[in-house]
Amino acid sequence: MRALLRYHGVLLLRSQRWLPPVLLYAGLVAISLDGQSQLGSQLGWNAAVLVPALAWLTRAHLAAEPPAARACLAAATGTRRPQYAALAVPLAAGLLLVLLAAAGALLTCPAPRGVPWVTVLGDGLAGGLVCSLTGSALGAVCAPPLVRTTAGGAGTLVIGSVMLLVLSASPANAAVRAVFSSGRTGVRFPLLPLLAVLPLIVACWCASAWAAGRAGAASDRESG
């Protein structure tokens, strides 16, 4: 698995498909860094915009691998393990973006009054974790092999991002609301959004790996 993670990490960097989603995230974060936003509000914004950015990054990476390389990996390691590795690498990149955006917020945003900044920062990082997992889950279901067309994947990504951020039942929505309010009320981040997003990402990753296995089996039958 370590070799698969290293392979997909190099593939993501060399494909340069990470540039548009990462630049989108960096631009949205930079626009809001005006030096007047409170720390909790900035961290909540950072978490919210990570959902579409990481979903886009995940889809871009899953669509970047050449079919010949995918077939070689499937023959050597099976069809599902490479898919899990391909999903894990963008998620790791998203967690790195959470840390970098939090560092920028600490340097530019005023500390909250009456609430320890460490508490607000911890809540922001927890919210970023929930939104990272949510974006990864969304990217898994709007990317190959579940959604093969670019138009279908883009439409699913946009609609899914809006729904996940707007619907109150979404763990991402609950996490962002909790981070926004943490700087004002000092209420600790609730554990429920994190517990709710775990079965979501497990189900989406398993569906993506299952579809990859089906696609690999169908390819083997055709070649045979």
Side-chain angles (χ1 to χ4, degrees):
M1 195 66 181
R2 185 179 303 174
L4 288 173
L5 292 172
R6 184 166 55 249
Y7 163 76
H8 279 286
V10 173
L11 177 64
L12 178 62
L13 291 175
R14 289 185 176 180
S15 69
Q16 297 185 358
R17 293 197 176 195
W18 57 272
L19 278 173
V22 170
L23 290 178
L24 170 68
Y25 181 73
L28 292 174
V29 170
I31 289 174
S32 61
L33 290 175
D34 54 3
Q36 299 178 357
S37 301
Q38 293 294 321
L39 182 60
S41 300
Q42 182 62 47
L43 291 174
W45 171 259
N46 294 350
V49 297
L50 188 61
V51 174
L54 187 53
W56 185 5
L57 179 63
T58 302
R59 172 175 169 74
H61 179 58
L62 291 179
E65 188 177 16
R70 188 181 304 113
C72 291
L73 284 180
T77 63
T79 55
R80 299 192 178 188
R81 292 175 65 186
Q83 190 73 3
Y84 287 128
L87 292 167
V89 168
L91 177 59
L95 296 177
L96 178 60
L97 291 176
V98 170
L99 296 177
L100 294 176
L106 282 175
L107 294 174
T108 58
C109 296
R113 296 180 180 179
V115 181
W117 67 269
V118 176
T119 300
V120 180
L121 177 61
D123 293 344
L125 293 177
L129 174 60
V130 172
C131 289
S132 297
L133 296 175
T134 305
S136 178
L138 176 60
V141 299
C142 66
L146 289 174
V147 180
R148 297 183 180 275
T149 63
T150 302
T156 306
L157 193 153
V158 172
I159 296 174
S161 298
V162 172
M163 293 181 63
L164 288 171
L165 291 174
V166 170
L167 295 179
S168 58
S170 166
N173 178 281
V176 171
R177 285 189 284 109
V179 175
F180 267 99
S181 62
S182 65
R184 298 190 299 268
T185 64
V187 178
R188 293 309 303 267
F189 185 86
L191 192 59
L192 184 59
L194 184 58
L195 295 178
V197 78
L198 292 179
L200 174 65
I201 190 172
V202 168
C204 292
W205 278 30
C206 288
S208 180
W210 174 82
R214 291 288 298 269
S219 177
D220 291 341
R221 287 195 299 268
E222 292 176 0
S223 61

